[in-house]
Amino acid sequence: MNRQKLTTIIAVGVLSLIASSASAEKFLISFKDHNQAQAFKSSIQNNAGVRLDSDLSDLQVLIVEAQNQNQIFNFVDAKDLRFIEKQKVYGAPRVQLAPTPVSNLPRMTLMNNQVPVSQGLKMISVPQAWTMSRGVGARVMVIDSGIDQNHPAFAGRIEQMKNFTDEGGPENTKDDGGHGTHVAGIIAAQAAQEAVGVAPQAKLLIAKVCGVKGCKSDAIAKALGWALREKVDVVNMSLGGGGSVTERFMINQLDGEQIPVVAAMGNNGMEATPLPAGYLSVTAVGAVDMSGQRAAFSNWSPALDLMAPGVGIRSAVPLGMGRAALSSFQTQSGDWKVLPGVTFIGVPTTSLNEASIFGEYGTVDELTKVNATGKILVVKRGNLPLLDKIKNAQKAGASALVICNNDSALVSGSLSEDPNEIQVPVIMVEKTAGEELIANLANSSSLKVQFEIQAADYAEFSGTSMSSPYVAGVVALMRSVVPGITSWKIRQIMDGTATPIKTEIPNQTGKGLVNAKAAVDGAYAVRKKYRKIN
């Protein structure tokens, strides 16, 4: 594969480097010689200042605790080391807040059991690929924030789970933020109502490396080591943060063992090469919207390989973490008119039927001119940040907030990292319906709005974090059809069969949109060439 890989160390957007607060620091060490590693372990056995945290010597890496690097050099000569680096800590991954075109899609509501058609699967021809395989026999490792193992979408899909964070025990893979569950669902979830998985018969190995305190580089190294030992068929990494020497070293080992790694390109909306996506052997994935165009937040560079759906992607989340919203208003004729809309992760659940009041754009000054106490506040979107509108509504005493959008596309995702920051229920409604609501409010001071938000087990997230698992799922389908196909051949086939996307700026869309059916057919052709098929 002929491409340039930049090594600029930058954050992926959802991850930011933060300092460790522990008094004893962790260091990741690799010795050039195995015997030197064994001698080092023996020399620190009875030392109070330097302690062996994890022995990954079969992978040529040791994780050691010490007050500083100089303590370690009391026991080792620097020239004997391949590398030594201090543990890094990154912020936990977040979903991208992005426009979601929902006007023409059936949606899950409180009135019926309609669910969205999986446009993402159709875009990349997954249903056609299922005629060959649904991923049976393939094993996918998801290195992320954990999973809700009790979600029915994963019944029979999870092979193993391990927690590599220092939060909870080794089997505690609880997903506090929902990111890992959503990513795993895109790869292999199966459900009665929503077939969201690219490879719904593949098995999942869940490696939790991110907790509420962030993602630590030693946890990522341990997870990559686990992937190497398990000989999985593909690894998905919807995270980043600048990479590390250890990470590069481990991923090189995975490539040598023919274990493909797929990673998210990041959400800065700029020309940038994040890590691990920027490593030569990693398939870097950017995001397109449902029209097949590059999402505005998706990074690009010569390192970018493929594109996949990444805007308004519906998938599983921890049970009850999602939100289903329904609102309507009573017209002057007495009829109730539905307000199509969305809500956001973490907003309070509620059921209201109350009087409403219009508050322009929801600024502090505008809300001082109306009495919103105990009422459903209706505002236009405008330029004031959504979170500011919500906080202003809270301070004004509103019982709920309806934001009337100024665009045909709504916005979905997470508004805040703090789950307690949003204390008032909020729904964003579509432009046309919102304009009609405001017009009716102008003619009636007692107009009532029905407003309902319930907990749900699925949610729409956006980001290159959602794009990467689509491609990982395609790799699982290919490995299901041809178990022995090499990592290099997988990348070559996916690059060669991708659907090109025209852009004015070079490198913005890589080789194009991944095509599951063409990639699986390409893998089968390799099998047919080297093995007689009856």
Side-chain angles (χ1 to χ4, degrees):
M1 179 170 51
N2 183 17
R3 62 177 181 177
Q4 178 185 358
K5 282 285 187 178
L6 306 182
T7 56
T8 306
I9 299 180
I10 65 163
V12 173
V14 294
L15 301 175
S16 57
L17 189 60
I18 59 177
S20 173
S21 60
S23 57
E25 306 286 358
K26 286 185 181 179
F27 295 86
L28 294 89
I29 306 173
S30 178
F31 284 83
K32 296 176 181 178
D33 181 78
H34 176 72
N35 293 329
Q36 292 169 337
Q38 294 299 110
F40 172 74
K41 288 191 294 181
S42 298
S43 66
I44 64 170
Q45 278 184 349
N46 299 315
N47 186 276
V50 180
R51 187 184 72 85
L52 182 65
D53 175 82
S54 298
D55 186 349
L56 309 178
S57 55
D58 57 326
L59 306 170
Q60 305 176 64
V61 174
L62 300 176
I63 301 174
V64 175
E65 281 191 0
Q67 295 297 320
N68 53 61
Q69 188 167 289
N70 290 334
Q71 278 191 319
I72 297 172
F73 284 130
N74 289 331
F75 300 91
V76 62
D77 193 325
K79 65 179 176 58
D80 295 331
L81 298 180
R82 184 179 286 111
F83 62 79
I84 178 171
E85 66 175 351
K86 185 178 174 181
Q87 178 197 69
K88 299 177 181 179
V89 186
Y90 310 98
R94 285 188 63 206
V95 297
Q96 182 75 11
L97 194 66
T100 304
V102 299
S103 300
N104 60 344
L105 296 179
R107 296 183 53 77
M108 180 180 290
T109 71
L110 308 184
M111 299 173 62
N112 55 54
N113 289 325
Q114 277 190 311
V115 295
V117 175
S118 184
Q119 297 297 320
L121 297 182
K122 288 184 176 181
M123 281 182 67
I124 63 171
S125 303
V126 169
Q128 293 89 335
W130 283 343
T131 60
M132 294 285 288
S133 174
R134 289 178 177 247
V136 63
R139 301 165 72 235
V140 183
M141 181 167 292
V142 181
I143 298 180
D144 214 291
S145 62
I147 195 170
D148 183 349
Q149 60 179 311
N150 296 316
H151 199 297
F154 301 112
R157 301 273 55 82
I158 302 174
E159 179 183 317
Q160 295 183 61
M161 301 181 296
K162 285 190 178 184
N163 176 24
F164 295 102
T165 75
D166 53 9
E167 301 171 18
E171 304 302 322
N172 178 22
T173 53
K174 179 185 176 185
D175 185 10
D176 295 299
H179 190 274
T181 301
H182 198 274
V183 166
I186 295 170
I187 296 171
Q190 58 176 9
Q193 291 183 324
E194 301 186 44
V196 294
V198 175
Q201 292 181 349
K203 290 289 188 178
L204 294 169
L205 288 84
I206 303 300
K208 179 177 178 179
V209 300
C210 302
V212 294
K213 299 177 183 177
C215 316
K216 297 183 178 180
S217 58
D218 68 311
I220 295 171
K222 292 173 187 177
L224 290 170
W226 187 36
L228 193 60
R229 294 190 191 98
E230 287 291 336
K231 308 295 183 188
V232 295
D233 290 297
V234 60
V235 174
N236 186 80
M237 300 181 72
S238 289
L239 45 78
S244 69
V245 177
T246 309
E247 183 179 78
R248 179 195 292 270
F249 181 67
M250 301 291 280
I251 286 176
N252 284 343
Q253 290 189 67
L254 288 173
D255 186 51
E257 292 296 324
Q258 303 305 317
I259 300 174
V261 177
V262 181
M265 193 64 185
N267 306 319
N268 304 91
M270 59 187 286
E271 184 171 8
T273 305
L275 300 173
Y279 296 133
L280 181 62
S281 63
V282 173
T283 298
V285 186
V288 296
D289 59 24
M290 288 304 168
S291 69
Q293 298 303 304
R294 184 186 70 86
F297 56 76
S298 185
N299 288 347
W300 75 91
S301 82
L304 176 60
D305 294 306
L306 296 167
M307 306 296 283
V311 177
I313 305 304
R314 194 168 183 82
S315 184
V317 292
L319 295 174
M321 182 177 286
R323 292 292 182 266
L326 177 68
S327 59
S328 59
F329 70 92
Q330 192 173 26
T331 65
Q332 288 180 296
S333 63
D335 298 326
W336 287 92
K337 184 147 191 174
V338 173
L339 292 166
V342 296
T343 187
F344 307 96
I345 295 297
V347 304
T349 57
T350 190
S351 180
L352 300 171
N353 184 0
E354 294 180 358
S356 58
I357 191 166
F358 180 53
E360 291 292 342
Y361 293 99
T363 66
V364 173
D365 289 342
E366 289 166 342
L367 295 188
T368 59
K369 300 173 184 177
V370 298
N371 181 13
T373 303
K375 298 177 182 178
I376 295 177
L377 179 63
V378 178
V379 301
K380 293 184 284 188
R381 183 173 176 186
N383 296 320
L384 185 67
L386 297 179
L387 192 56
D388 288 349
K389 291 181 187 289
I390 295 170
K391 291 179 178 180
N392 292 345
Q394 290 173 186
K395 292 177 182 177
S399 60
L401 177 64
V402 175
I403 301 173
C404 301
N405 201 21
N406 55 2
D407 191 84
S408 58
L410 298 176
V411 173
S412 65
S414 175
L415 292 174
S416 174
E417 295 184 46
D418 182 358
N420 300 314
E421 190 168 16
I422 300 176
Q423 298 176 6
V424 62
V426 56
I427 291 177
M428 176 181 282
V429 301
E430 292 179 342
K431 183 176 185 287
T432 303
E435 290 172 346
E436 188 173 353
L437 170 61
I438 293 171
N440 275 262
L441 264 171
N443 298 319
S444 173
S445 59
S446 59
L447 186 145
K448 281 197 169 184
V449 171
Q450 286 185 343
F451 190 106
E452 201 155 7
I453 298 176
Q454 287 190 356
D457 304 332
Y458 293 84
E460 292 176 359
F461 287 177
S462 298
T464 58
S465 283
M466 285 61 254
S467 306
S468 180
Y470 273 103
V471 175
V474 171
V475 176
L477 295 178
M478 296 172 74
R479 274 276 167 92
S480 174
V481 172
V482 189
I485 190 169
T486 65
S487 297
W488 174 82
K489 196 65 180 178
I490 287 171
R491 293 194 294 270
Q492 183 190 53
I493 291 172
M494 289 197 299
D495 285 353
T497 57
T499 305
I501 302 171
K502 291 183 179 179
T503 57
E504 294 181 2
I505 301 175
N507 305 314
Q508 280 201 321
T509 56
K511 300 297 189 299
L513 184 67
V514 67
N515 186 318
K517 176 64 165 65
V520 171
D521 285 348
Y524 185 76
V526 171
R527 174 183 172 183
K528 194 172 182 180
K529 181 177 180 180
Y530 294 103
R531 177 180 173 185
K532 186 177 180 181
I533 304 292
N534 294 324

